[in-house]
Amino acid sequence: MTMEPFDQTKAAAFQTRMVDILNSSFLALAMSVGHHLGLFDMMAGRDWATSAETAEAARLQERYVREWLAAMVVGRIVEYNGAGKYRLPPEHSAAISREAGLANMANRICFVGYLGQVVDEVVTAFREGGGVPYSRYPRFLDQIARNGVAGLDANLLGVMLPLVENLQPRLRSGIDVLDVGCGHGHAINLMAGVYPASRFLGVDVAVQSIERAQAEAASLGLQNARFELRDAAALGEHETFDFITTFDAIHDQVDPAAVLRGIYAALRPGGTYLCVDIGGSGDLLTDMQHPLGPYLYTASLMHCMTVSLADGGAGLGTMWGEPLARRMFRDAGFDKVEVKRVADDPTDFYYILRK
């Protein structure tokens, strides 16, 4: 077999890329610290300031703030005037402060540190099989919930629900709604507050999530929202609901096929299922063009796939893709599938399925 000649230009380009990956990975950790401390939010819209002034405004230790600012400057996140003053330009704060809403990439960057905590366990699963259970990801799941709240607040009522034709008038009149894998229940509570004539149920397998969902509903004084601890693969409902939702909750299920069959059975004739899930293709050559491809495949490796395998599940993975999703929907009983996108959401597909 003839060996191709060693390409020095290709090798040099790859070495440059590796340096960029190393720098970006470490910078992500520093950025997650700044996000958690609210430094990006505090600096947004402010004039040039010294490290001491920044620390005082944020009520933090100056020496730590100064070192953090240094990392942000050399990482081209924060600007430096060469005379001891710093600022976060508005063009940058629009992407990494909470004023950015759903576009806040600092939220996602925090996942780097959380997933780093389970590297050794994922390595063990490579060698021995199985996976890493949900219980090993408390901070990661909290961050997912925070991201979800931002996305739902920005898009659920004004963007997502209008994707389903004639849904909002029905919600105003009063229908039965189920959210499967409801997490902290924010979607249910948002809808319940706006549509008091409808009845809402959220189910999840995590005790902590159900408790937080119930607490939020109680704080809002909602009488039409309830939450139950229930396995999504064993809903046990028959033609009970008019509208069912899942938000990024299918791809990491232990038995996603059973979940989809249960959702189909739980829908009344004429009912609608809105499945919001990751918009991959399942084809690597196509997914190489996805702007968040490395992020999503690594999230799958480090969380979504392995938590399913930890319980002997299917290990579907984050980027299960539209073709496989369509096949699984058909196998569950859905023969009417529509796929939509939302302009501000580069991650998800919005599958609208009717019974």
Side-chain angles (χ1 to χ4, degrees), residues 1 5 9-10 17 20 40-41 47 55-56 76 80 87 135 141-142 172 181 199 204-205 241 286 292 297 299 328 353:
M1 185 169 66
T9 301
K10 185 176 182 179
R17 172 155 169 71
D20 181 59
F40 295 129
D41 304 317
D47 203 355
E56 182 180 5
R76 299 340 190 243
Y80 180 60
R87 76 161 188 148
S135 60
L141 296 176
D142 284 345
R172 284 192 287 269
R199 299 156 296 280
D204 202 280
V205 74
F241 299 95
T286 301
L292 294 174
Y297 271 104
M328 293 182 69
L353 305 102

Side-chain angles (χ1 to χ4, degrees), residues 21-299:
I21 290 172
L22 179 64
N23 280 325
S24 295
S25 300
F26 274 68
L27 185 61
L29 292 175
M31 290 185 70
S32 68
V33 170
H35 174 72
H36 284 307
L37 292 171
L39 280 163
F40 295 129
D41 304 317
M42 187 276 295
M43 294 179 71
R46 292 171 65 95
D47 203 355
W48 296 89
T50 65
S51 60
E53 291 166 340
T54 302
E56 182 180 5
R59 298 183 179 180
L60 299 171
Q61 299 296 311
E62 187 275 338
R63 183 65 188 93
Y64 279 91
V65 170
R66 185 172 9 125
E67 201 74 2
W68 178 82
L69 284 168
M72 294 302 101
V73 169
V74 299
R76 299 340 190 243
I77 307 300
V78 166
E79 293 179 344
Y80 180 60
N81 71 352
K85 291 196 173 184
Y86 311 80
R87 76 161 188 148
L88 180 64
E91 296 83 0
H92 294 190
S93 66
I96 58 173
S97 68
R98 286 184 174 84
E99 69 181 18
L102 190 60
N104 185 358
M105 294 301 293
N107 277 325
R108 297 176 186 264
I109 285 172
C110 291
F111 292 143
V112 174
Y114 295 147
L115 292 180
Q117 297 171 2
V118 297
V119 167
D120 289 345
E121 291 164 89
V122 172
V123 168
T124 298
F126 265 81
R127 295 192 174 109
E128 301 177 4
V132 184
Y134 271 106
S135 60
R136 292 291 294 118
Y137 296 88
R139 298 294 302 279
F140 179 84
L141 296 176
D142 284 345
Q143 188 65 33
I144 286 178
R146 283 190 288 270
N147 282 3
V149 165
L152 291 167
D153 284 344
N155 280 339
L156 178 62
L157 300 176
V159 178
M160 296 184 193
L161 297 185
L163 294 175
V164 182
E165 186 177 356
N166 200 40
L167 173 63
Q168 290 168 298
R170 298 180 65 206
L171 286 166
R172 284 192 287 269
S173 297
I175 59 175
D176 292 294
V177 179
L178 171 67
D179 184 26
V180 178
C182 68
H184 292 183
H186 194 60
I188 285 289
N189 289 329
L190 275 179
M191 290 187 286
V194 174
Y195 300 108
S198 288
R199 299 156 296 280
F200 298 87
L201 171 64
V203 300
D204 202 280
V205 74
V207 174
Q208 184 183 46
S209 293
I210 292 298
E211 290 175 347
R212 292 193 182 188
Q214 291 170 333
E216 183 183 59
S219 71
L220 296 171
L222 299 175
Q223 301 299 314
N224 58 334
R226 58 192 178 93
F227 299 91
E228 295 179 3
L229 191 68
R230 201 185 296 189
D231 183 351
L235 289 176
E237 300 284 352
H238 180 68
E239 297 184 357
T240 313
F241 299 95
D242 304 288
F243 180 51
I244 298 178
T245 59
T246 57
F247 297 95
D248 291 329
I250 297 299
H251 66 263
D252 57 358
Q253 293 290 329
V254 173
D255 190 350
V259 174
L260 293 174
R261 290 194 299 270
I263 288 172
Y264 182 84
L267 269 179
R268 292 177 176 135
T272 303
Y273 167 36
L274 173 62
C275 175
V276 183
D277 217 294
I278 304 300
S281 73
D283 174 74
L284 289 179
L285 294 179
T286 301
D287 288 339
M288 283 178 70
Q289 310 307 315
H290 194 295
L292 294 174
Y295 160 75
L296 292 168
Y297 271 104
T298 304

